Amino acid sequence: MEFHAAYNYYCDESCHLKNDGKQYMILGYISAPYDRIKKLKEDIKELRKKYKNTLEVKWSNLNAWNYTFYADLVNFFFDRSDIRFRAIIVDKKRYIAAKCNHDYDRFYYLMYYQLIYHLLDTTSTYNIYLDIKDDLSSYRIEELKKILNVHMGIIEKIQHVRSHEVDLLQLCDLFIGALS
């Protein structure tokens, strides 16, 4: 019998706007086996309860008040073997408008392709959740799904989510914020 695994990817970005004055865009994801997601959520919920933290976890929200909670979140990540983080750093000065039909939004999703594509395994399936960028980006994520599936056909779902509702996406935000 062939083993077939499913994984969830929780993706976020930092400094991604074209004219935000930042040279580098960071794109990253937290990935975990689908069958471990419930337990991971429960464990983070327990950490939140321990520290009485109901606020969204974000690098920009790190302060003296929640430092211990954030440190325990980082330890939570490094103490586990069933959760992974990957990020890419993109030099926005290397954006070549002509290669993206002068469409910076297209460039943005091409960078997500670069982040995700290289570590996909054709014996697994994937659910990909991206932090919602704007109301017009649903077309782009469907395009991203089609492009990822051209050679592999293993992306089951790709959708936008609100980061304040997804703890694993918030953990990703914390890590890419540290990188940026």
Side-chain angles (χ1 to χ4, degrees), residues 59-74:
W59 176 256
S60 59
N61 290 345
L62 176 60
N63 58 42
W65 173 79
N66 61 17
Y67 177 82
T68 307
F69 169 59
Y70 277 42
D72 273 2
L73 278 173
V74 171

Side-chain angles (χ1 to χ4, degrees), residues 12 56-62 70 131 163 170 173-174:
D12 201 7
E56 182 174 2
V57 173
K58 298 176 71 71
W59 176 256
S60 59
N61 290 345
L62 176 60
Y70 277 42
D131 189 15
S163 61
Q170 293 173 42
D173 182 284
L174 179 62

Side-chain angles (χ1 to χ4, degrees), residues 101 103 105-109 130 132-147 158-160:
N101 295 333
D103 182 352
D105 203 41
R106 182 177 178 155
F107 168 73
Y108 171 81
Y109 284 98
L130 287 87
I132 194 161
K133 184 167 137 326
D134 57 45
D135 293 338
L136 304 173
S137 50
S138 59
Y139 164 76
R140 292 288 188 190
I141 64 169
E142 280 305 312
E143 189 176 80
L144 178 60
K145 180 180 178 182
K146 287 177 191 171
I147 292 167
I158 187 166
Q159 73 180 57
H160 284 114

Side-chain angles (χ1 to χ4, degrees), residues 112-139:
Y112 258 123
Y113 171 85
Q114 291 299 321
L115 170 71
I116 296 167
Y117 177 76
H118 296 287
L119 292 181
L120 295 178
D121 178 355
T122 57
T123 63
S124 299
T125 58
Y126 299 87
N127 302 303
I128 301 172
Y129 302 95
L130 287 87
D131 189 15
I132 194 161
K133 184 167 137 326
D134 57 45
D135 293 338
L136 304 173
S137 50
S138 59
Y139 164 76

Side-chain angles (χ1 to χ4, degrees), residues 6 19 29-30 70 72 84 89-91 102 125 133 143 161:
N19 298 312
Y29 65 72
I30 292 284
Y70 277 42
D72 273 2
R84 304 248 188 281
I89 300 171
V90 179
D91 185 347
H102 299 274
T125 58
K133 184 167 137 326
E143 189 176 80
V161 293

Side-chain angles (χ1 to χ4, degrees), residues 11-124:
C11 305
D12 201 7
E13 82 292 314
S14 181
C15 308
H16 66 286
L17 300 175
K18 183 178 182 181
N19 298 312
D20 61 6
K22 308 285 185 179
Q23 181 175 349
Y24 299 101
M25 168 179 20
I26 314 294
L27 299 169
Y29 65 72
I30 292 284
S31 67
Y34 179 79
D35 63 353
R36 300 291 300 147
I37 298 299
K38 184 178 178 183
K39 175 68 171 136
L40 293 168
K41 288 178 180 180
E42 289 170 357
D43 291 348
I44 293 173
K45 185 177 180 180
E46 286 302 312
L47 275 175
R48 283 185 174 283
K49 188 191 253 185
K50 175 181 175 184
Y51 290 100
K52 298 177 175 82
N53 188 305
T54 58
L55 302 175
E56 182 174 2
V57 173
K58 298 176 71 71
W59 176 256
S60 59
N61 290 345
L62 176 60
N63 58 42
W65 173 79
N66 61 17
Y67 177 82
T68 307
F69 169 59
Y70 277 42
D72 273 2
L73 278 173
V74 171
N75 289 335
F76 162 82
F77 173 81
F78 283 105
D79 289 346
R80 305 190 70 96
S81 63
D82 57 351
I83 187 171
R84 304 248 188 281
F85 172 72
R86 174 175 159 76
I88 60 172
I89 300 171
V90 179
D91 185 347
K92 292 188 289 188
K93 289 183 178 181
R94 299 190 64 163
Y95 163 63
I96 302 170
K99 289 196 174 203
C100 297
N101 295 333
H102 299 274
D103 182 352
Y104 187 81
D105 203 41
R106 182 177 178 155
F107 168 73
Y108 171 81
Y109 284 98
L110 284 171
M111 295 303 97
Y112 258 123
Y113 171 85
Q114 291 299 321
L115 170 71
I116 296 167
Y117 177 76
H118 296 287
L119 292 181
L120 295 178
D121 178 355
T122 57
T123 63
S124 299

